[in-house]
Amino acid sequence: MSQKFNPIGIAWLLVVILVSGVAISSGGKFDSSLMTLLPKSEQQPIVQAATEQMADRFSKRLLLLVSAEDENKVRKAIPLLANQMGKLPEITEIDWQVSEDEIESIQNELYPYRFSVLDHNSRALLLDNDFQQIQNRALIRLYSPLSIGKTSLVDDPFSLFSELNQNRKNELKITVSNSLLKITSASKPTYLMMLTLSEQPFSPTLQRNILGAITAQEAVLKKSGVTIQMSGMLLHAELGARQANKEILTIGVGSMIGIIVLMLMVFRKFKPIGLMLISILVGCVMAASVTLFIFGKIHLITVAFGAGLVGVSIDYSLHFLCERQVSASKRVLQKILPGLLLGLFSSVAAYTAQALSPFPGLQQMAVFSVVGLSASWLTVVLWYPFFTRNNSIQPLSAAKKLNNFRNVFPRIGENKILLVFIFIMVAWSLNTIKNSESLDDIRLLQTSPVSLLAQEKEVQQLLGSSSSSQFLLLSGDTLEECLQKEEDITPLLDRLINNGLLKGYQSLTQHLPSIKRQDENITLVRQLYEQQLTPFYDKIHFANDKALKALTTLERNSHRLQPEVWLQQQNSEPWKDLRVVSDHLTATIIRFTGDINEDTKAALIALSDNSDGVEFIDQVQNISKLMTNFRSEITGLILGAYFLVFLVLLARYKAQVWRIILPPLLASIFTLALLVHFEQGLNLFHLMALILVLGIGLDMGIFLSESSDDSHTWLAVSLSSFTSLLAFGLLAFSDTPVLHHFGLTVLIGLTLVWLLAPIMRENIVEKDIDERGTTTI
């Protein structure tokens, strides 16, 4: 087995090549939506479709507000900027102007539906039978020199269409000024330009090209006093990518250099480093490939944290390589295989517990971790004997030095003061954890600087818009049903506006009434004609025979605006995304303008609770709730994993099993207590890091027990801890909150495991160190 590549090793190589090749050829599909981590039973397809639609609307748009003290300068700058942006292939559409012909064309689209689609004021007057007010309004419009819009005393004697165009509801603070989109709430001349991106804003090339072009134009325009404010996901994505690249160059490269230097100091060769990288690489590749085969796509969080769990597999490599320094090639596996098997089995059992969770995200991580650990384990067992067949036996001096340091540690069996101290620490830690606060609010993980968030908020206030994360979702079997529900609750929303709780809202029925509402409108207009048409014609001395023609026109042109027709009109373009269709389900969205405070939120939740098929969606709260559920789920799974591992190890180690279980368990408890003080609370990512602490801690106890505390085994498990500290612990210095929480937990947890493991071992009576560097017990 040690002289040549055995058949099983060749078969494993073929499996790795085949599986990875198929995965690469099929293309990796990655997912970044946190909502897909929810259990299937909690994922309403229509809710998910709506949230993704709202998010897509926000993420693919970049808003530019171009301002200057001089109106002429800013108006000249707009077309120049639009021309430069139009040259970029990463931008598919630029909205910055509306021609007079376009305005007239858009307005005239609704002319055939002037009797079925009414403005809010006209409908209110008709419902109150205030026909006189409508007649007076029509007279004023008829004789006013400033009257605009299409007017015909036969086709539309009461100017219902002109009223519709004039009073069409628009909560945004934007108006068309000489064909440009002017912000009405700005203190100085400010115009809007909206860019639509060709893809999601996470592409480095897209970020570089678009923001680079804007920065270049900004430098030119600044000379003439023109400034640009921006708002959009692209800004946050670019900042996150820049921060990630910076941390990769600092923390990532620094930890890699540290690991290489550490291994060279111990082994004095590059070959062991290459072998360790091979096993970890095979583990990650196989884990990602199998996860893709099973789930169809792989979540980015699974990759990030799963790769950390696979990092536990470095134990197998180090254990083999350290033992190979003092044992012949043929004897290595004979001596360490029981420990390797038990280490793999206990780790796999711990991570398999995640698969029992209803959370797809945890199920994915379980598959990734189990496959990755198993693949790395097989690589060590099947390939390492061949790769190290010609290595000479050469005990490592680091083993003896590290073992001497270990012997300084007190032992719990001979030190009652130490035992009492640990009991006190456990009691204090549990009490601290019990009284701790949760940090599950997703806003606490915000990475964007205050300046960027302030600019984002200022742009939203100028536009009169709000975040896409809070809205009302009205679902039904048909679009007509959804529109009717909208019309039922809009009076309640208007009441909230009158009470000062809500600034405004945008709904589909403001532009597309339900067929039922359109029928009501036509009936109201008929009543208006029947009672007021003849008196109106008499007042303006219009021929009475025209009344019959006007009534005939009313009947012939009482068209209903069907949704499929409206969707083809230019009128619908800004409002299409208020309609959601998913899996034969239909819904509409009501989004809000201005900030939603807690009182407004409570009122909207109460409104939705009392309305059938209406749901208040708060994406920030949903994701925070998701994190809370995950945290609770992982807490139970970690406790379950400890219990399962305890049962497995009990059969082999009997009364000594506590020496293996206690180090990672105590380390986890102490770590959580310290995190409560350092971080002011606990969140999901703290607990996920404890899985890594559990895996390395179990391997440490198992390998030490199987080798009777052999000094080279102590070196191997110590190196495993040190490399994990360098690889993951340094993330504690990351500016990215998720990575910081994960890294700090690993840093504290693994340090405590390494310190607690020797304390829990049996009393060591040092007799001598044999030629292998082994302590005789």
Side-chain angles (χ1 to χ4, degrees):
M1 184 174 180
S2 61
Q3 299 304 313
K4 59 181 180 179
F5 222 71
N6 67 330
I8 301 178
I10 295 174
W12 175 238
L13 175 62
L14 295 176
V15 169
V16 172
I17 294 173
L18 178 63
V19 172
S20 57
V22 171
I24 293 172
S25 62
S26 62
K29 296 180 181 179
F30 294 94
D31 185 14
S32 60
S33 172
L34 286 176
M35 294 305 293
T36 60
L37 300 175
L38 279 169
K40 297 296 183 183
S41 58
E42 295 184 24
Q43 286 187 45
Q44 300 179 42
I46 196 66
V47 174
Q48 185 172 341
T51 53
E52 289 178 353
Q53 186 165 298
M54 290 289 282
D56 188 67
R57 170 180 175 271
F58 175 70
S59 63
K60 283 192 174 183
R61 290 183 179 177
L62 180 64
L63 304 181
L64 305 183
L65 266 58
V66 187
S67 310
E69 297 292 344
D70 189 318
E71 180 92 32
N72 291 328
K73 288 183 178 179
V74 69
R75 292 185 65 86
K76 289 180 181 178
I78 288 287
L80 296 176
L81 180 61
N83 180 56
Q84 292 299 318
M85 293 297 101
K87 297 177 181 179
L88 300 177
E90 293 84 4
I91 296 177
T92 58
E93 188 177 352
I94 303 178
D95 296 309
W96 62 282
Q97 66 175 342
V98 183
S99 68
E100 295 297 330
D101 290 341
E102 285 180 302
I103 295 174
E104 184 177 359
S105 174
I106 291 173
Q107 290 178 341
N108 289 336
E109 283 182 331
L110 291 178
Y111 189 72
Y113 311 100
R114 58 193 179 277
F115 305 127
S116 58
V117 180
L118 302 176
D119 69 286
H120 179 75
N121 292 335
S122 295
R123 176 177 166 81
L125 292 172
L126 290 172
L127 286 172
D128 292 340
N129 292 319
D130 194 351
F131 299 143
Q132 188 61 46
Q133 178 69 19
I134 292 179
Q135 185 182 125
N136 293 339
R137 192 180 66 182
L139 289 171
I140 292 173
R141 183 176 291 278
L142 178 65
Y143 293 117
S144 171
L146 300 177
S147 180
I148 58 173
K150 181 179 289 190
T151 301
S152 169
L153 289 174
V154 173
D155 293 340
D156 187 14
F158 295 103
S159 301
L160 295 175
F161 178 67
S162 296
E163 291 293 333
L164 174 64
N165 278 329
Q166 180 173 314
N167 299 318
R168 189 174 299 177
K169 196 158 186 174
N170 182 12
E171 299 291 346
L172 296 178
K173 300 173 183 178
I174 304 172
T175 187
V176 178
S177 174
N178 295 325
S179 79
L180 298 182
L181 305 176
K182 188 171 185 178
I183 307 300
T184 58
S185 61
S187 59
K188 57 183 178 181
T190 302
Y191 290 84
L192 170 68
M193 179 180 298
M194 185 168 66
L195 310 179
T196 301
L197 311 182
S198 60
E199 57 181 298
Q200 290 295 333
F202 304 105
S203 164
T205 302
L206 181 141
Q207 296 168 5
R208 182 170 57 253
N209 291 346
I210 294 179
L211 294 179
I214 293 175
T215 301
Q217 290 302 306
E218 196 172 16
V220 174
L221 295 175
K222 193 174 183 179
K223 297 176 182 178
S224 58
V226 178
T227 60
I228 300 176
Q229 288 177 284
M230 293 185 283
S231 171
M233 179 62 74
L234 179 67
L235 303 175
H236 301 274
E238 188 274 337
L239 180 75
R242 186 156 27 100
Q243 182 171 294
N245 289 334
K246 177 183 176 182
E247 291 180 351
I248 287 173
L249 289 174
T250 55
I251 298 175
V253 173
S255 63
M256 181 60 67
I257 293 174
I259 291 172
I260 293 173
V261 170
L262 177 63
M263 292 304 168
L264 286 176
M265 288 174 62
V266 173
F267 292 99
R268 312 286 181 175
K269 298 175 183 177
F270 282 100
K271 183 177 180 179
I273 299 174
L275 290 176
M276 284 184 282
L277 291 177
I278 288 174
S279 68
I280 294 175
L281 180 61
V282 169
C284 289
V285 169
M286 290 296 290
S289 301
V290 174
T291 303
L292 283 171
F293 291 154
I294 295 177
F295 295 95
K297 56 185 176 181
I298 184 169
H299 204 282
L300 293 178
I301 288 182
T302 300
V303 175
F305 291 102
L309 297 177
V310 173
V312 176
S313 65
I314 199 171
D315 268 6
Y316 312 141
S317 299
L318 288 168
H319 199 44
F320 184 99
L321 293 171
C322 287
E323 183 62 36
R324 182 65 182 86
Q325 296 296 125
V326 292
S327 299
S329 180
K330 293 181 179 180
R331 295 183 57 199
V332 174
L333 283 182
Q334 295 174 5
K335 298 181 66 174
I336 70 171
L337 192 57
L340 288 178
L341 275 171
L342 203 55
L344 174 66
F345 185 74
S346 60
S347 296
V348 167
Y351 300 141
T352 301
Q354 293 178 224
L356 303 177
S357 165
F359 288 83
L362 289 179
Q363 293 169 1
Q364 266 201 22
M365 291 179 204
V367 171
F368 192 101
S369 302
V370 169
V371 173
L373 285 173
S374 302
S376 294
W377 189 91
L378 285 171
T379 302
V380 170
V381 171
L382 298 177
W383 292 359
Y384 276 29
F386 173 78
F387 288 129
T388 62
R389 66 192 185 280
N390 296 322
N391 288 15
S392 59
I393 294 177
Q394 187 177 359
L396 299 170
S397 59
K400 183 176 180 179
K401 293 177 182 177
L402 194 61
N403 191 67
N404 292 335
F405 177 73
R406 176 176 59 160
N407 291 338
V408 177
F409 281 55
R411 297 297 189 273
I412 196 170
E414 61 184 16
N415 193 321
K416 293 182 179 180
I417 295 177
L418 177 62
L419 182 62
V420 171
F421 176 75
I422 290 178
F423 271 117
I424 293 173
M425 287 297 298
V426 169
W428 172 80
S429 297
L430 292 176
N431 183 65
T432 301
I433 295 169
K434 179 183 177 182
N435 297 320
S436 66
E437 298 289 335
S438 64
L439 298 177
D440 296 322
D441 191 333
I442 191 66
R443 285 167 292 198
L444 296 175
L445 304 180
Q446 177 63 254
T447 59
S448 299
V450 175
S451 58
L452 180 57
L453 295 175
Q455 178 177 291
E456 190 85 46
K457 186 174 183 179
E458 183 179 354
V459 171
Q460 289 180 1
Q461 289 176 342
L462 288 173
L463 292 174
S465 63
S466 64
S467 169
S468 61
S469 64
Q470 296 171 311
F471 55 91
L472 283 177
L473 184 68
L474 301 89
S475 55
D477 295 329
T478 62
L479 179 59
E480 173 67 15
E481 183 181 341
C482 297
L483 294 174
Q484 290 182 26
K485 288 181 180 180
E486 271 196 18
E487 290 162 349
D488 289 339
I489 69 169
T490 46
L492 302 177
L493 295 176
D494 293 336
R495 190 181 306 165
L496 293 180
I497 293 175
N498 295 333
N499 293 337
L501 289 174
L502 192 65
K503 289 188 177 180
Y505 62 90
Q506 298 164 1
S507 67
L508 199 58
T509 49
Q510 292 171 339
H511 311 277
L512 175 66
S514 68
I515 299 300
K516 178 184 177 183
R517 175 61 56 90
Q518 292 184 52
D519 286 338
E520 293 173 359
N521 289 343
I522 292 172
T523 300
L524 291 172
V525 174
R526 285 198 183 106
Q527 293 175 1
L528 172 68
Y529 271 49
E530 291 169 0
Q531 298 183 35
Q532 294 296 320
L533 187 60
T534 300
F536 179 69
Y537 279 173
D538 289 342
K539 281 187 179 181
I540 62 175
H541 306 293
F542 199 58
N544 287 332
D545 61 335
K546 300 294 185 180
L548 180 60
K549 188 173 182 181
L551 287 168
T552 302
T553 300
L554 169 63
E555 295 304 322
R556 288 179 178 177
N557 291 276
S558 295
H559 306 300
R560 281 76 171 170
L561 178 57
Q562 300 294 335
E564 56 270 19
V565 174
W566 179 77
L567 288 169
Q568 300 302 316
Q569 294 181 344
Q570 286 181 282
N571 267 296
S572 67
E573 285 302 321
W575 317 108
K576 280 182 178 179
D577 58 354
L578 294 179
R579 172 177 175 257
V580 184
V581 179
S582 174
D583 295 337
H584 309 293
L585 299 174
T586 301
T588 59
I589 291 171
I590 296 180
R591 60 181 178 232
F592 308 106
T593 55
D595 294 330
I596 304 295
N597 58 35
E598 290 302 317
D599 291 337
T600 304
K601 182 178 175 180
L604 292 171
I605 292 175
L607 183 154
S608 63
D609 289 342
N610 296 323
S611 305
D612 184 44
V614 179
E615 186 174 358
F616 177 71
I617 305 297
D618 185 344
Q619 269 300 84
V620 171
Q621 181 176 328
N622 286 347
I623 296 175
S624 298
K625 183 180 178 182
L626 168 65
M627 292 173 62
T628 300
N629 292 341
F630 255 124
R631 182 169 52 81
S632 300
E633 196 74 27
I634 288 180
T635 301
L637 290 174
I638 291 175
L639 293 175
Y642 271 104
F643 180 71
L644 180 60
V645 170
F646 173 79
L647 294 179
V648 171
L649 299 181
L650 182 63
R652 181 172 179 84
Y653 299 109
K654 304 296 188 296
Q656 298 299 312
V657 69
W658 64 272
R659 299 186 187 276
I660 299 174
I661 294 292
L662 274 186
L665 179 60
L666 292 178
S668 297
I669 293 173
F670 297 158
T671 298
L672 292 179
L674 291 171
L675 288 171
V676 170
H677 284 276
F678 293 149
E679 307 272 76
Q680 285 74 54
L682 302 173
N683 63 33
L684 164 70
F685 305 103
H686 294 135
L687 293 173
M688 294 185 77
L690 289 183
I691 299 177
L692 185 61
V693 175
L694 167 61
I696 292 179
L698 286 177
D699 283 353
M700 184 178 293
I702 290 170
F703 292 146
L704 289 174
S705 294
E706 289 296 319
S707 67
S708 299
D709 287 318
D710 179 275
S711 62
H712 277 73
T713 302
W714 172 238
L715 174 63
V717 296
S718 296
L719 288 176
S720 176
S721 298
F722 298 159
T723 53
S724 295
L725 282 172
L726 287 169
F728 303 106
L730 289 181
L731 293 176
F733 303 101
S734 170
D735 291 327
T736 304
V738 173
L739 299 180
H740 166 76
H741 297 319
F742 187 82
L744 184 59
T745 307
V746 171
L747 181 64
I748 298 173
L750 289 186
T751 301
L752 289 175
V753 166
W754 186 78
L755 292 173
L756 286 168
I759 293 174
M760 298 298 167
R761 304 309 302 161
E762 293 183 79
N763 296 341
I764 296 178
V765 180
E766 185 173 355
K767 294 182 180 180
D768 62 339
I769 304 293
D770 64 19
E771 70 279 2
R772 299 169 66 250
T774 303
T775 302
T776 305
I777 300 175

